[in-house]
Amino acid sequence: MAVDLLLGLQWGDEGKGKIVDVLTANYNIIARFQGGPNAGHTLEFDGIKHVLHTIPSGIFHENAINLVGNGVVIDPVIFKKELDNLKKFDLDYKSKLLISRKAHIILPTHRLLDAASETAKGKAKIGSTLKGIGPTYMDKTGRNGLRIGDLEMSDWKEKYRNLANKHESMISYYGVDIQYNLRELEKDFFEAVEVLKTLTFIDSEEYLHRAQKDSKTILAEGAQGSLLDIDFGTYPFVTSSNTTAAGACTGLGIAPNQIGEVFGIFKAYATRVGSGPFPTELFDEDGKRMAKIGNEFGATTGRPRRCGWLDLVALKYAVQVNGVTQLMMMKGDVLSGFDTLKVCTGYNYKGEEIEHLPYNIEEDNLSPIYKEIKGWKEDLTKMSDESQFPQAFKDYIAFIEEELQVPIKIVSVGPDRKQTIMR
Ligand code: GDP
Ligand code: IMO
Ligand code: MG
């Protein structure tokens, strides 16, 4: 059985958690392949809202196995909190939630290093979630990291100590004033590690190969979005992992020829949290309206998300890099009530019209070219079939499909599981 992928096509927060939850009904295994607790994946059902950071979004389905893959970085302290929040659901974690031995661990000092690095950057800061993601991936590629499998060895605390000591001298290298009490942080960390150790650690690539042979259906869940990819995003304002389709191969041990459908998910407009270029960003009433109606606040940090019009140039790029086979459009309901909508179809770049993302997309040398599209007034949130959609919304969908040459198979019209329309 091929492995299907679901990934974000913009700057994250497209609604991945909601759709993974909906699709889990069709899958045996849901596997996260990269990122860590910088992610905040929201799902809503039965009037309750859940935000997951490391645990895959299939966790509420009794029959699915949820796997945290080797490409993910895990903070035991946050993981423990996530488990605590799920306690009331009486889930069988020992058999339903599996963790790859090869996943790397976020140390308390990784978080401190993140803070030191951001402070030292001053105005040029990335706007990191400060969860220690960058420093942990640096230790992974630097071949210094502590992995989940190490926790099964007797000398792991020694490894931990050596790494933490090194981090402390690195923190002082930055020469910034970071206040911390490592003893306190370590107390929480060691406690949380003991909780983590009650879960099942596995050789996940082996497990997934066997599952494929046994005809199990597998959905790989991405975190962040394609424009935050370490290679293909708006570098350096990106995260530290490959958020695009190739990341699922390295983050789970799935061969490229084993990938089936690639579900690309996007909002009907665009948002970004943190610093970095955002060509279609709005600073006017339209942007404020999207933020308010869309409730655009980060699920992990609570920071307000920057809002703007849909950027089809960037979306086309993401569709290409990922090989998207099906699209999912989220939050169309938020756009109800605009007289006119704008969609970016090209850029003016250094006096020239272009239709691709240039290397340098700083505001000074690039401005969006918009096509105007008629808006609609109707409230979409109670609609349960596309035949109920106003014509202008149908036209908006058709225009995007035509531009991207990929069908939009799911249209989401609200945060709840039920507000999902299959086409
Ligand atoms: P993720 O990181 O991709 O999982 O997305 P987030 O959970 O960070 O952000 C998406 C937000 O939009 C969450 O608050 C969802 O509950 C909400 N949401 C998802 N789909 C829709 C939709 O179709 N309409 C509206 N109004 N909200 C949605
Ligand atoms: P989900 O999975 C939106 C952004 C941060 C910052 C940059 C680097 O919920 O879509 P990092 O913490 O990785 O050092 O931050 O990436 N960022 C996200 N933005 N959604 C996310 O995840 C994000 N994860 C990281 O805001 O700009
Ligand atoms: Mg999110």
Side-chain angles (χ1 to χ4, degrees):
M1 286 296 280
V3 176
D4 295 337
L5 312 184
L6 181 139
L7 24 90
L9 299 181
Q10 296 161 313
W11 282 287
D13 303 331
E14 296 89 351
K16 299 175 290 292
K18 168 179 164 161
I19 294 298
V20 170
D21 171 59
V22 169
L23 293 182
T24 302
N26 309 329
Y27 289 93
N28 301 120
I29 301 170
I30 307 298
R32 264 282 297 271
F33 60 86
Q34 46 66 237
N38 47 350
H41 294 182
T42 314
L43 30 123
E44 270 186 55
F45 56 87
D46 299 340
I48 313 173
K49 176 172 151 174
H50 309 272
V51 181
L52 297 165
H53 301 288
T54 328
I55 295 176
S57 304
I59 196 71
F60 295 104
H61 291 253
E62 240 177 63
N63 299 326
I65 300 283
N66 284 262
L67 168 68
V68 180
N70 58 279
V72 176
V73 290
I74 299 173
D75 184 334
V77 179
I78 295 180
F79 204 94
K80 177 177 176 293
K81 277 191 199 140
E82 287 191 68
L83 285 176
D84 287 345
N85 287 341
L86 294 177
K87 262 192 186 137
K88 51 181 177 287
F89 293 97
D90 197 25
L91 303 164
D92 174 11
Y93 299 117
K94 194 84 188 141
S95 65
K96 297 291 175 207
L97 181 56
L98 310 176
I99 305 183
S100 170
R101 289 200 173 91
K102 294 192 172 77
H104 281 246
I105 299 175
I106 303 177
L107 272 48
T109 42
H110 281 132
R111 270 185 273 133
L112 297 173
L113 275 171
D114 222 354
S117 163
E118 281 284 80
T119 309
K121 278 182 194 276
K123 275 199 182 133
K125 71 174 183 186
I126 310 291
S128 167
T129 60
L130 302 178
K131 302 295 177 195
I133 306 297
T136 306
Y137 279 115
M138 280 164 71
D139 271 334
K140 175 178 177 174
T141 51
R143 296 155 295 174
N144 301 310
L146 188 70
R147 300 192 289 177
I148 290 292
D150 291 328
L151 301 178
E152 295 173 320
M153 314 285 174
S154 56
D155 65 344
W156 79 268
K157 282 198 177 160
E158 236 170 89
K159 275 191 183 164
Y160 166 86
R161 179 55 51 211
N162 288 338
L163 196 52
N165 286 348
K166 191 175 94 174
H167 290 162
E168 281 213 279
S169 42
M170 287 165 73
I171 293 164
S172 56
Y173 156 83
Y174 280 105
V176 290
D177 186 21
I178 299 285
Q179 300 290 327
Y180 62 92
N181 180 338
L182 192 53
R183 284 258 154 88
E184 286 279 306
L185 295 172
E186 285 183 341
K187 188 171 159 285
D188 288 349
F189 177 77
F190 288 125
E191 257 176 46
V193 166
E194 290 312 310
V195 173
L196 201 61
K197 282 166 83 174
T198 64
L199 297 178
T200 309
F201 301 161
I202 59 164
D203 296 332
S204 54
E205 64 280 23
E206 201 51 45
Y207 176 86
L208 289 173
H209 293 158
R210 217 176 323 118
Q212 275 189 281
K213 277 205 181 124
D214 294 345
S215 301
K216 302 280 189 219
T217 48
I218 304 169
L219 176 67
E221 173 180 2
Q224 290 79 54
S226 303
L227 301 173
L228 289 171
D229 182 279
I230 182 71
D231 284 284
F232 300 108
T234 48
Y235 192 88
F237 301 100
V238 293
T239 190
S240 301
S241 63
N242 282 115
T243 59
T244 46
C249 295
T250 56
L252 292 173
I254 302 287
N257 64 353
Q258 297 298 305
I259 304 293
E261 296 293 331
V262 180
F263 304 123
I265 180 164
F266 69 100
K267 277 181 195 171
Y269 48 101
T271 65
R272 170 162 209 170
V273 60
S275 335
F278 181 2
T280 61
E281 183 169 12
L282 290 167
F283 301 94
D284 59 5
E285 286 309 311
D286 286 344
K288 282 187 198 143
R289 184 189 164 106
M290 286 172 191
K292 185 156 183 272
I293 299 177
N295 193 23
E296 295 296 355
F297 293 93
T300 294
T301 57
R303 291 178 294 176
R305 295 179 184 140
R306 301 152 64 191
C307 295
W309 297 118
L310 186 67
D311 185 339
L312 280 180
V313 181
L315 211 49
K316 242 180 227 172
Y317 171 77
V319 165
Q320 270 166 12
V321 170
N322 291 302
V324 171
T325 60
Q326 296 185 27
L327 288 163
M328 295 159 176
M329 188 174 90
M330 315 299 287
K331 300 189 104 162
D333 54 296
V334 175
L335 296 183
S336 291
F338 283 92
D339 290 332
T340 308
L341 303 170
K342 288 185 188 172
V343 180
C344 169
T345 53
Y347 303 129
N348 279 315
Y349 180 65
K350 296 181 177 170
E352 226 187 294
E353 283 190 16
I354 59 167
E355 286 179 9
H356 67 274
L357 270 183
Y359 178 76
N360 181 359
I361 55 172
E362 293 308 317
E363 278 159 37
D364 307 352
N365 55 27
L366 182 140
S367 63
I369 300 169
Y370 287 116
K371 177 181 164 60
E372 294 200 345
I373 297 182
K374 192 169 164 285
W376 57 89
K377 295 268 176 284
E378 292 83 346
D379 174 10
L380 308 178
T381 58
K382 307 232 162 30
M383 297 186 179
S384 54
D385 188 279
E386 66 170 316
S387 61
Q388 298 165 319
F389 289 164
Q391 188 57 43
F393 186 49
K394 286 184 185 163
D395 292 345
Y396 191 69
I397 294 172
F399 179 72
I400 298 167
E401 285 184 320
E402 178 62 28
E403 287 286 307
L404 300 178
Q405 289 292 301
V406 182
I408 297 179
K409 299 294 264 187
I410 291 183
V411 176
S412 170
V413 292
D416 194 90
R417 245 185 210 171
K418 291 197 185 114
Q419 293 167 302
T420 313
I421 295 165
M422 310 284 179
R423 303 175 75 222

